[in-house]
Amino acid sequence: MLGPKKKVYIKTFGCQMNVADSEQMAQVLADAYAPTDRPEEADLYLINTCAIRRKAESKVRSLLGSLQVLKQRRPHMLLGVGGCVAQQEGERLLAAVPHLDLVFGAHGICRLPEMVRRAAQGRRVVDIELAREFPPQPRRRWAPGAVKALVTIMQGCNNFCSFCVVPYVRGREYSRPPREIVTEVADFLAAGGKEVTLLGQNVNSYGRGLPEPITFTELLRQIDALPGLARLRFATSHPRDLSAELIAAFGELPSLCEHLHLPVQSGADRILQAMNRGYTREDYLQKVAELRRVCPGLSLSTDIIVGFPGETEEDFQGTMDLVRQAAFDQAFSFKYSPRPQTRAALLPERVPAEVQAERLARLQNLLNELTFKAHRRLVGRDHEVLVEGISKRSPEELCGRLRTNQVVNFSGPRELVGQLVMVRIAEAHPHSLKGIQAEGCSITWPLAADPQAPQRRVSC
Ligand code: 5AD
Ligand code: SF4
């Protein structure tokens, strides 16, 4: 008889793409390892890493250092590092960390079971080979009750923004065949799933290089047409490649949520040019205006870097001004961090750390104000919420998101998890909303198995 399965603990740093990759790691290992959320009982401990900023990389290094103690207590435990830091460092990481067994890059996930077998035989393994196409994926098994899915549609990036390490650690851009993506989403919907987020470093260029090229918007149309899909999202978009066709889709596709993450990075043309972004602040603002025309309720989020080499106070004021004009609902902002191999790392005129910190603080004050203002605008109105789980703040409350991506907490029975409900927004907080389930209001969603059912029925 087979004994109990061994356990794998996966610690994930970084973006949604890494979260999706970690899910894939768990799946390819599932025959031999059951996932655990308790690192102290792991037989295999994997760290999925991010190299986007130095801070992210330092966190990995300090975690690796602290794991020496666990490894001494559990000598049979295998320790592996995957993702962008693994890709960047390869053999160097193995040499620097004696208690490390396994280093694998972004494209090595499908070979993980074989690598783990070799590591279990006492060999130290490095696999950082980059593929020249989107690697074939095993058919995904969806956990019963899964509400949301992250679906990777492409990997790598060809853009070479001068600050960004991604093209070096995730390789060139390859799109996944559309049929595979559509099947994966259809399987998820058949298992009762409601929301799908399509992932890629630059989804707007999806389809280039495929034997039968297809635009990203066409892929969205195919997915939107699948029965049972309540919400469709995607990340990340490059403003330069945001086509008129894709902008129009926000007014056309019923499942496409009224939210777009559109990283602007800077509001100064001089800096955008030095970043190799391929658009001006005016191009960006024009696309935002067109998006808001097509989809008036659109919520817009962005990424901004402050203190890029050579950024003057005037350039920074350009960013502050653009932020006010675009009226972002949410934003992620960072101090520029020099990355290995990137062109910007060689630029002179580094902005001193204290100037970066001071600009970041001013920017974040403004962004927080805008987010809070956007939250206050929602108060008093009813909104559709997809209930994702129990609130982290209180076990009495449920937690979900609006189509426009804001987090809402409200009281309700646990049976609502996974359901779409109407919620009246009662209070705005800086980072979330508080709501009350709108009385007598429910949303009936047709099961994927019943494609004839009306697409959506709201009864109040
Ligand atoms: N320094 C600071 N922020 C960076 N980002 C990417 N590279 C760097 C860097 N070297 C930010 C960008 C990107 C987000 C994912 O991370 O804003 O959109
Ligand atoms: Fe990095 Fe630019 Fe590619 Fe985004 S588009 S992953 S910022 S190189």
Side-chain angles (χ1 to χ4, degrees):
M1 211 173 76
L2 290 174
K5 267 191 201 172
K6 292 182 182 165
K7 301 221 163 89
V8 57
Y9 175 79
I10 307 178
K11 171 81 187 164
T12 308
F13 289 95
C15 60
Q16 281 183 310
M17 300 230 22
N18 269 15
V19 174
D21 285 352
S22 293
E23 286 174 8
Q24 203 198 338
M25 289 176 200
Q27 172 156 339
V28 297
L29 292 166
D31 287 342
Y33 289 89
T36 176
D37 51 13
R38 290 159 42 97
E40 62 282 4
E41 63 174 26
D43 302 293
L44 173 63
Y45 190 128
L46 297 178
I47 311 174
N48 191 5
T49 60
C50 170
I52 202 100
R53 284 169 291 276
R54 193 174 335 173
K55 205 162 140 196
E57 193 179 327
S58 317
K59 279 193 206 155
V60 173
R61 291 187 190 276
S62 76
L63 174 61
L64 273 172
S66 70
L67 283 175
Q68 198 172 1
V69 180
L70 183 61
K71 183 84 181 175
Q72 273 161 2
R73 250 192 290 138
R74 294 175 69 75
H76 78 281
M77 182 188 85
L78 297 174
L79 178 59
V81 174
C84 296
V85 176
Q87 189 73 44
Q88 183 183 287
E89 296 300 311
E91 296 274 357
R92 284 197 298 265
L93 203 56
L94 215 54
V97 186
H99 52 284
L100 186 58
D101 302 290
L102 178 64
V103 175
F104 59 101
H107 298 185
I109 299 176
C110 43
R111 297 186 290 274
L112 202 47
E114 177 53 27
M115 285 185 241
V116 170
R117 254 191 303 279
R118 278 192 283 147
Q121 291 161 0
R123 288 154 68 182
R124 301 184 83 204
V125 182
V126 178
D127 180 341
I128 53 167
E129 205 181 309
L130 284 176
R132 292 184 178 277
E133 59 181 5
F134 196 97
Q137 305 290 299
R139 193 150 183 172
R140 257 167 105 174
R141 281 167 263 166
W142 298 104
V147 184
K148 306 202 300 179
L150 299 174
V151 173
T152 304
I153 63 162
M154 57 201 301
Q155 62 184 16
C157 183
N158 290 349
N159 280 321
F160 292 91
C161 299
S162 65
F163 53 81
C164 185
V165 78
V166 165
Y168 306 95
V169 289
R170 285 191 174 255
R172 291 302 81 75
E173 188 179 285
Y174 297 110
S175 294
R176 187 176 177 193
R179 210 168 318 121
E180 251 191 49
I181 300 168
V182 173
T183 305
E184 189 161 305
V185 174
D187 283 354
F188 172 64
L189 298 175
K194 299 274 192 321
E195 177 178 306
V196 169
T197 303
L198 306 177
L199 294 179
Q201 303 294 345
N202 178 19
V203 291
N204 306 137
S205 58
Y206 174 79
R208 287 181 203 158
L210 280 173
E212 286 170 42
I214 158 176
T215 64
F216 178 57
T217 314
E218 182 48 38
L219 178 72
L220 288 180
R221 282 200 197 101
Q222 290 185 17
I223 293 175
D224 175 72
L226 293 171
L229 179 64
R231 293 180 171 196
L232 180 56
R233 302 183 188 278
F234 59 83
T236 292
S237 287
H238 192 301
R240 184 198 55 213
D241 299 328
L242 182 70
S243 64
E245 188 198 17
L246 180 53
I247 292 177
F250 278 93
E252 288 165 9
L253 304 182
S255 68
L256 188 59
C257 287
E258 296 75 22
H259 169 237
L260 177 65
H261 185 64
L262 194 62
V264 66
Q265 311 298 0
S266 168
D269 285 344
R270 229 170 52 80
I271 299 297
L272 286 171
Q273 197 174 14
M275 286 176 163
N276 191 31
R277 291 290 287 178
Y279 54 86
T280 62
R281 62 175 279 140
E282 211 35 56
D283 296 336
Y284 185 90
L285 287 169
Q286 260 174 22
K287 288 197 178 179
V288 168
E290 185 55 15
L291 279 160
R292 295 209 194 279
R293 192 187 66 74
V294 167
C295 181
L298 186 88
S299 117
L300 195 65
S301 58
T302 200
D303 293 340
I304 298 172
I305 297 177
V306 300
F308 185 83
E311 185 192 73
T312 61
E313 176 60 26
E314 197 186 337
D315 296 327
F316 175 67
Q317 284 306 331
T319 299
M320 295 285 275
D321 182 60
L322 179 137
V323 164
R324 283 188 208 98
Q325 282 195 52
F328 294 113
D329 296 73
Q330 209 199 352
F332 304 92
S333 47
F334 316 97
K335 287 186 247 176
Y336 167 72
S337 163
R339 305 311 294 137
Q341 294 174 277
T342 59
R343 275 201 288 128
L346 305 173
L347 290 174
E349 297 184 77
R350 287 271 172 87
V351 176
E354 58 284 5
V355 177
Q356 285 189 320
E358 189 269 334
R359 285 183 191 163
L360 187 66
R362 270 191 284 160
L363 175 64
Q364 290 185 338
N365 275 339
L366 173 60
L367 293 170
N368 289 340
E369 253 174 52
L370 288 172
T371 302
F372 199 11
K373 204 165 146 189
H375 283 178
R376 286 197 301 264
R377 275 200 301 271
L378 296 167
V379 172
R381 285 194 270 153
D382 293 348
H383 285 271
E384 178 198 284
V385 172
L386 176 58
V387 187
E388 294 176 8
I390 309 298
S391 159
K392 279 193 211 121
R393 289 187 327 188
S394 150
E396 314 293 301
E397 286 193 334
L398 300 173
C399 176
R401 274 179 198 265
L402 305 187
R403 283 174 65 89
T404 40
N405 211 34
Q406 291 88 355
V407 174
V408 186
N409 296 297
F410 68 102
S411 298
R414 281 168 182 247
E415 296 72 57
L416 289 181
V417 173
Q419 305 284 318
L420 291 154
V421 293
M422 289 306 277
V423 170
R424 177 150 307 164
I425 306 303
E427 288 170 30
H429 297 279
H431 301 291
S432 65
L433 300 162
K434 192 160 161 85
I436 302 162
Q437 197 184 345
E439 219 165 295
C441 243
S442 66
I443 299 174
T444 321
W445 200 253
L447 292 176
D450 179 12
Q452 299 309 319
Q455 263 304 292
R456 187 181 229 181
R457 214 162 47 232
V458 181
S459 55
C460 289

